[in-house]
Amino acid sequence: MITGRTLFRPAGLRGLAVPLTARCIANASSRRPLARYGGPPAQTQRGESTLSEDKKSGHIHAAPNESILFFDNLFPLKLTPVMLWRPWSTRRDLSELHKQLEDYSRGMLDPINLVKKAIPKGVPINVTEIIPRLKDGGAFVKFTHPNEITASEIEDLLSKQLEEHPIKPWFNPFLGIKTGLVRGRPWLEDLYRFPKSRIRVEFVASSDDQAPSELSQETLYSIFRRYGKIADITSQPSDSKVLPKFAHVDFVLVRDAIMARNCMHGYLLQEEGSKSVTRLRLAYEQRVKPHHVWNWITNHPRIVIPIIAGFLAAFTVAVFDPIREFFVKAHVQRIFEFTNSRLYKWFQRQTSDILAFRKHKGDQAGLNALVTHRKDVIDSIQNGLLEATATFVVIHGPRGSGKRELILDQVLEGRKDVLVLDCKPVVEARGEAGTLKKLAAQVGYRPVFSWTNNISSLVDLAIQSTTGVKASFSENLESQLVKILQVTASALKEVSLADKKETEKDAALSEDAYLEAHPERRAVVVIDSFLHKSEEKGIVYEKIADWAAALVQSNVAHVVFLTNDTSYSKSLSKSLPDRVFHQVTLGDLSPDVAKQFVISQLDPEDSRAEKDDSRAEKDDSHAEKSKQAIESSNAEKERREDLKELDECIDQLGGRLTDLQVLTRRLKIGQSPKKAVSDIIEQSASEILRMFLLAKDAGEGDKRWSTEQAWYLIKQIAQQETLRYNEVLLSDTFTSSKTPGASNGEAALESLANAELITVKSIHGRPQTIRAGKPVYQAAFNRLFKDNVVKARMDMALFKELAGIEAKIIEKAEAELSLLGTMPTQPSQMRDRIYYLLDKMQASQNKIMAYEKDIRGSKKVLSREA
């Protein structure tokens, strides 16, 4: 769309006004003689456009007696994009802007006065019209001149005058105004195209019946050099099919490109030796700058990619690691916990007589009983934490033996700066991202971007497939575990040194020496559930053990391991091979302590106190008091009878803490001791039956034992209670199991011990005896052995496996005898071997017959029993 242009009439300016209205003419280079410059001014009306309404082409036309000059540096170029980029503007808005400029034309710094100064009185021209060009920072000046002087001579006179007496505008005090004769046909457009130092010169035909000729660089240089310094001229590639043909002319200065474009657009010329006339069509074009740095980066991926990876790693360490250390310290010191705040502690002190902020008396009494029983163990661990020995404290015991309660509630009670790392949720997490997220949650490591490793892996794969170079953006699980643990170690060191004061006697010591001299100020790390499902993610336990070893060796923290795995020494000795561990083994409670624990949990002191309070508040009658006394006496008798039953039941239940707590809960709801213990044994038997005997996937996956091996142990322990380890290991079920994964007898026994079906007792470091996994399992084994249906079903499976083992022995012996029978002669030395194979076959056959007989007996039981 071509909009109108506001015209600046020289009315009111001495020597610049003539009685001439705006008009459109075809050729700007035609000239006719007019009156000499300096005639009297005449008053004329100001037109809004030099374009007629029926010819809105956007070009400037000059009459045959007129020529056009272009003056630059009249308006600031940097402001023109802001002034002109108004999508809501209209032709009227632009006209009003020009009106404002004309209203201020009387000023000394306005563009019209600058044009007046640029044309001295001695130049014989008469200005007829001034057309401002805001986007190009200049203006077109139409003028007439006498026939005695040409327009080119006038251009030379003005250029020489401006060089000798430069006129500098207020916004550019270093560069003066320049002028040039318009030799072409200027095109005034209001498109959003702003001046650039590069001009695209297109070669178009002057008429439809002629073909344009492409100008050479020499011709282009001779045409455009007059307007300023040219940096480069680029011709169109010879194989390019773009029409019309073009060339690029790059000026050093933008103002030179402006002058060339406004003076030469539409210029007609005929190159020497060419028959066709060519019209030049000029337009600004953004120069594509050569990206040398980017090209070098893209062309050298083997150098750039490792550098980028190093910068990213350095940025992560510099920005996120301090934040993560802060959150780890806050997690260890419990800064953000409400129960650790001053407000909560003040509220607790003020309301201690109203609200009970302590454990139930029965629970406290039960813990007191355990503390009394394990006082030596507690004192030993506490003394070990005050010593400077750089070793592990290992608390070993079966599940339910109270390891966690002993350490957290008794040994470390009231101690600050304790970090508890539970390995169970970390190992049970799905995938590497889940493992990292759970480990970070355990130590308070945040923020953690576990999902970014998946994206980094895809980027690594894409880069490696395209460039053949491994970028190493992604990290494996091992490196990310080490990173989290290293940040945690740094935070723990700061926590251990938090209480160091400058006024202390040892303030001058270094950090390591101070921690070595004050072991009581080190933080404590409790690693719970160590080696839980160790066969699944052994790398996690390996890195945690190495990290714990580094903590104790550098005197940063004390480390306490809680585990129920008997093979913990193998894993910890690899990380700390030259130290003796402080080992504590927690077993089951003795019958007396177990009974005391249950009784303390059932102490009715609280309930009697509540009844006394309620009776004190009410004024009951003497008859009601007597009735309550009789009820209390009867309850006391029942309690004494239950205690007699409890002595018998404790021996059967055993001293496992979790089983005693289950018994206590059942007794509180009104069950008798015999009934409660019977239910516990029944529940344990059902659990064993479901997990070990009727499991369809037994022996598959990560299970290294078979159903037949589990039943063999249950059956033998029910009969003997204690089995010799080597005797079990040499039995046919463990030496020749047909179940995949269960052929290794020692691995099967170790797996069953980790599953707590059995307990392996050792002496002098070697396994000696096998017992039930916990005391209640002995009674459960007896109950399963006395169940005829379960016994018949499991015996039939066991006898079938044993018969299959003997059949395999016979098959091997038959194969060897067949091989011996193929020999042409049978020497006497083979006789003993043949008799040996025959005797072996006979023995195996006898066993198979016995097993078949037992199988038939088991089938009869199954068919008879419901």
Side-chain angles (χ1 to χ4, degrees):
M1 180 184 70
I2 305 298
T3 60
R5 302 184 309 282
T6 302
L7 305 181
F8 286 90
R9 294 293 187 185
L13 298 180
R14 182 176 300 177
L16 292 182
V18 296
L20 185 67
T21 57
R23 55 186 179 270
C24 299
I25 311 174
N27 194 353
S29 61
S30 302
R31 305 175 186 86
R32 290 187 179 180
L34 288 179
R36 179 178 291 275
Y37 173 82
Q43 298 294 332
T44 60
Q45 294 182 351
R46 176 173 53 85
E48 289 186 358
S49 177
T50 60
L51 302 177
S52 60
E53 293 299 329
D54 56 342
K55 294 183 179 180
K56 297 180 180 180
S57 61
H59 294 91
I60 300 178
H61 303 280
N65 60 343
E66 285 182 330
S67 296
I68 304 175
L69 288 172
F70 181 78
F71 290 85
D72 69 347
N73 207 18
L74 299 179
F75 304 101
L77 288 175
K78 299 296 182 181
L79 297 180
T80 51
V82 180
M83 297 173 61
L84 295 179
W85 180 241
R86 297 183 298 172
W88 58 88
S89 63
T90 61
R91 293 179 59 186
R92 182 61 59 182
D93 297 331
L94 191 58
S95 301
E96 292 177 357
L97 178 61
H98 288 173
K99 289 178 183 178
Q100 294 177 6
L101 291 174
E102 186 178 2
D103 292 339
Y104 290 101
S105 61
R106 299 180 184 273
M108 298 298 295
L109 301 178
D110 66 281
I112 305 304
N113 278 334
L114 293 176
V115 174
K116 178 181 176 181
K117 288 183 178 182
I119 305 176
K121 295 182 180 180
V123 180
I125 65 172
N126 192 10
V127 176
T128 60
E129 193 175 61
I130 298 177
I131 305 172
R133 186 65 175 161
L134 295 178
K135 189 163 63 172
D136 292 332
F140 289 98
V141 177
K142 284 186 179 183
F143 67 94
T144 59
H145 57 88
N147 296 331
E148 294 79 6
I149 187 170
T150 62
S152 297
E153 293 175 351
I154 294 174
E155 177 189 15
D156 295 337
L157 289 175
L158 292 177
S159 297
K160 185 177 181 180
Q161 177 69 21
L162 292 175
E163 287 180 3
E164 295 176 355
H165 305 285
I167 300 174
K168 300 177 180 179
W170 61 270
F171 56 84
N172 193 352
F174 301 103
L175 297 177
I177 296 174
K178 291 171 58 179
T179 185
L181 181 65
V182 177
R183 291 176 168 81
R185 187 187 180 196
W187 180 39
L188 302 183
E189 36 76 23
D190 59 350
L191 302 176
Y192 195 62
R193 299 174 183 174
F194 297 102
K196 300 291 186 292
S197 61
R198 166 171 285 194
I199 291 179
R200 178 187 175 98
V201 182
E202 295 181 353
F203 312 114
V204 297
S206 60
S207 60
D208 296 338
D209 57 348
Q210 293 182 354
S213 60
E214 185 177 358
L215 302 183
S216 64
Q217 294 188 4
E218 292 83 354
T219 305
L220 292 174
Y221 181 85
S222 63
I223 294 174
F224 292 102
R225 180 59 182 87
R226 73 184 69 180
Y227 300 108
K229 178 67 175 177
I230 297 176
D232 191 16
I233 298 176
T234 307
S235 300
Q236 184 179 5
S238 58
D239 58 346
S240 176
K241 298 181 180 180
V242 178
L243 293 177
K245 297 293 184 178
F246 65 90
H248 289 136
V249 179
D250 296 323
F251 286 89
V252 175
L253 299 178
V254 177
R255 63 177 299 186
D256 297 337
I258 294 173
M259 182 68 72
R261 194 257 182 188
N262 286 287
C263 293
M264 298 302 296
H265 180 80
Y267 181 66
L268 298 175
L269 77 161
Q270 184 177 2
E271 192 174 13
E272 185 178 356
S274 176
K275 297 181 180 180
S276 60
V277 179
T278 302
R279 183 185 297 275
L280 302 182
R281 189 163 62 190
L282 279 61
Y284 299 117
E285 187 170 296
Q286 180 67 42
R287 181 185 300 179
V288 180
K289 298 181 180 180
H291 302 284
H292 299 292
V293 177
W294 176 252
N295 293 335
W296 187 90
I297 290 175
T298 55
N299 293 330
H300 298 80
R302 299 191 178 189
I303 300 176
V304 174
I305 292 176
I307 294 176
I308 293 176
F311 276 117
L312 290 178
F315 176 78
T316 303
V317 171
V319 176
F320 290 107
D321 280 6
I323 300 175
R324 290 161 176 165
E325 287 186 11
F326 168 77
F327 280 109
V328 173
K329 289 191 294 184
H331 178 77
V332 175
Q333 296 175 338
R334 298 177 178 86
I335 296 176
F336 299 120
E337 287 189 7
F338 178 70
T339 56
N340 200 36
S341 62
R342 296 181 180 179
L343 177 62
Y344 178 83
K345 292 179 179 179
W346 174 86
F347 186 74
Q348 183 180 7
R349 290 194 301 269
Q350 299 299 323
T351 59
S352 58
D353 297 335
I354 303 174
L355 303 176
F357 286 97
R358 60 185 184 274
K359 295 182 179 179
H360 192 271
K361 289 184 177 180
D363 297 337
Q364 189 65 36
L367 292 176
N368 291 335
L370 291 178
V371 171
T372 304
H373 176 63
R374 296 174 173 173
K375 189 174 187 307
D376 296 338
V377 175
I378 296 173
D379 293 341
S380 174
I381 299 173
Q382 288 178 341
N383 293 332
L385 296 179
L386 296 176
E387 298 175 356
T389 55
T391 186
F392 297 145
V393 178
V394 183
I395 311 299
H396 171 258
R399 293 173 186 167
S401 57
K403 301 184 292 297
R404 186 183 180 96
E405 293 80 3
L406 175 70
I407 297 298
L408 298 181
D409 298 339
Q410 300 300 326
V411 177
L412 300 177
E413 183 181 10
R415 181 159 183 160
K416 60 180 182 179
D417 302 338
V418 177
L419 174 63
V420 181
L421 197 163
D422 192 356
C423 299
K424 183 177 179 179
V426 178
V427 175
E428 292 180 350
R430 295 183 178 180
E432 294 184 0
T435 301
L436 296 174
K437 187 176 181 180
K438 291 295 183 181
L439 178 61
Q442 290 293 320
V443 299
Y445 179 95
R446 61 178 64 88
V448 57
F449 308 110
S450 56
W451 51 270
T452 56
N453 198 52
N454 297 331
I455 299 176
S456 300
S457 300
L458 296 177
V459 174
D460 270 347
L461 182 61
I463 293 176
Q464 189 172 5
S465 60
T466 54
T467 64
V469 180
K470 188 175 182 181
S472 298
F473 282 124
S474 61
E475 298 177 320
N476 54 18
L477 177 63
E478 180 180 353
S479 60
Q480 294 183 82
L481 290 174
V482 171
K483 183 179 179 181
I484 294 176
L485 295 177
Q486 284 179 349
V487 173
T488 306
S490 301
L492 287 173
K493 186 173 184 179
E494 295 184 9
V495 169
S496 300
L497 295 170
D499 295 334
K500 182 181 178 181
K501 300 179 181 179
E502 297 181 356
T503 58
E504 293 185 18
K505 179 179 65 175
D506 298 334
L509 296 176
S510 63
E511 295 180 351
D512 296 338
Y514 181 84
L515 291 176
E516 185 177 3
H518 296 275
E520 73 281 357
R521 295 189 177 180
R522 302 177 196 170
V524 180
V525 179
V526 180
I527 301 177
D528 194 9
S529 302
F530 186 68
L531 296 182
H532 173 74
K533 295 184 178 180
S534 58
E535 62 277 0
E536 292 185 0
K537 294 182 179 179
I539 186 65
V540 175
Y541 294 115
E542 180 182 348
K543 294 305 172 184
I544 290 177
D546 293 342
W547 170 69
L551 291 180
V552 298
Q553 287 178 335
S554 58
N555 299 316
V556 172
H558 299 287
V559 180
V560 180
F561 285 94
L562 308 180
T563 180
N564 53 16
D565 197 302
T566 57
S567 62
Y568 65 87
S569 59
K570 297 180 182 178
S571 300
L572 297 181
S573 297
K574 295 179 181 178
S575 302
L576 205 63
D578 56 344
R579 306 295 171 88
V580 178
F581 306 144
H582 185 181
Q583 304 179 20
V584 176
T585 301
L586 299 182
D588 298 328
L589 301 178
S590 62
D592 295 337
V593 177
K595 180 181 177 181
Q596 184 181 358
F597 176 80
V598 175
I599 293 175
S600 63
Q601 295 283 325
L602 298 174
D603 191 359
E605 180 183 355
D606 297 338
S607 60
R608 290 199 303 270
E610 292 177 359
K611 293 180 181 178
D612 292 342
D613 292 340
S614 61
R615 287 196 298 269
E617 292 177 357
K618 298 179 182 179
D619 189 11
D620 297 334
S621 62
H622 179 71
E624 292 177 351
K625 292 181 179 181
S626 301
K627 183 177 179 181
Q628 291 175 357
I630 294 172
E631 291 178 354
S632 177
S633 177
N634 294 334
E636 185 67 21
K637 291 180 180 180
E638 293 179 358
R639 181 171 177 269
R640 290 172 182 172
E641 293 178 358
D642 290 344
L643 291 180
K644 292 180 180 179
E645 294 182 1
L646 189 61
D647 293 335
E648 302 175 1
C649 295
I650 288 294
D651 295 335
Q652 191 176 14
L653 186 63
R656 188 62 55 87
L657 186 60
T658 53
D659 296 334
L660 295 176
Q661 291 174 343
V662 173
L663 174 63
T664 302
R665 289 194 293 267
R666 289 182 176 272
L667 294 178
K668 285 182 178 180
I669 63 176
Q671 285 187 344
S672 64
K674 288 186 177 181
K675 174 63 175 174
V677 171
S678 178
D679 291 346
I680 293 174
I681 295 174
E682 182 66 27
Q683 183 178 359
S684 299
S686 301
E687 179 182 347
I688 294 170
L689 189 66
R690 183 182 68 256
M691 294 180 59
F692 297 97
L693 300 182
L694 301 182
K696 295 181 180 180
D697 57 345
E700 300 178 0
D702 59 344
K703 295 182 179 180
R704 295 176 292 179
W705 48 268
S706 64
T707 302
E708 292 77 14
Q709 291 172 342
W711 172 247
Y712 176 84
L713 292 173
I714 292 172
K715 181 179 179 180
Q716 296 298 322
I717 293 174
Q719 295 174 352
Q720 304 178 23
E721 291 190 2
T722 302
L723 304 178
R724 287 187 290 272
Y725 182 85
N726 292 326
E727 182 182 0
V728 174
L729 198 61
L730 293 174
S731 62
D732 293 339
T733 307
F734 283 88
T735 56
S736 305
S737 177
K738 298 173 63 177
T739 304
S743 58
N744 190 341
E746 292 189 18
L749 289 175
E750 183 180 358
S751 181
L752 289 170
N754 292 334
E756 294 191 351
L757 179 68
I758 59 174
T759 298
V760 179
K761 300 293 183 180
S762 300
I763 183 172
H764 303 305
R766 65 174 179 83
Q768 184 186 29
T769 58
I770 298 176
R771 296 179 60 90
K774 50 185 178 179
V776 72
Y777 275 7
Q778 181 65 49
F781 290 172
N782 294 332
R783 181 163 297 188
L784 290 174
F785 183 72
K786 293 177 181 179
D787 190 332
N788 294 330
V789 175
V790 174
K791 182 176 180 297
R793 180 177 177 178
M794 292 296 104
D795 281 345
M796 186 171 62
L798 178 60
F799 293 146
K800 284 183 178 180
E801 184 183 47
L802 294 175
I805 294 173
E806 298 300 330
K808 192 173 182 180
I809 294 175
I810 294 175
E811 183 179 353
K812 290 182 179 180
E814 289 176 346
E816 187 173 353
L817 287 174
S818 299
L819 180 62
L820 294 176
T822 58
M823 299 179 65
T825 59
Q826 296 180 355
S828 59
Q829 291 83 358
M830 293 178 54
R831 187 179 304 169
D832 293 339
R833 181 62 181 176
I834 293 173
Y835 287 152
Y836 168 76
L837 294 174
L838 293 174
D839 292 340
K840 192 173 184 179
M841 291 175 61
Q842 181 63 37
S844 297
Q845 181 61 31
N846 293 335
K847 290 181 180 180
I848 291 175
M849 294 174 64
Y851 294 149
E852 292 290 343
K853 182 178 179 180
D854 293 336
I855 291 173
R856 289 193 296 271
S858 299
K859 289 182 178 180
K860 289 181 181 180
V861 174
L862 291 175
S863 61
R864 185 175 64 251
E865 297 286 342

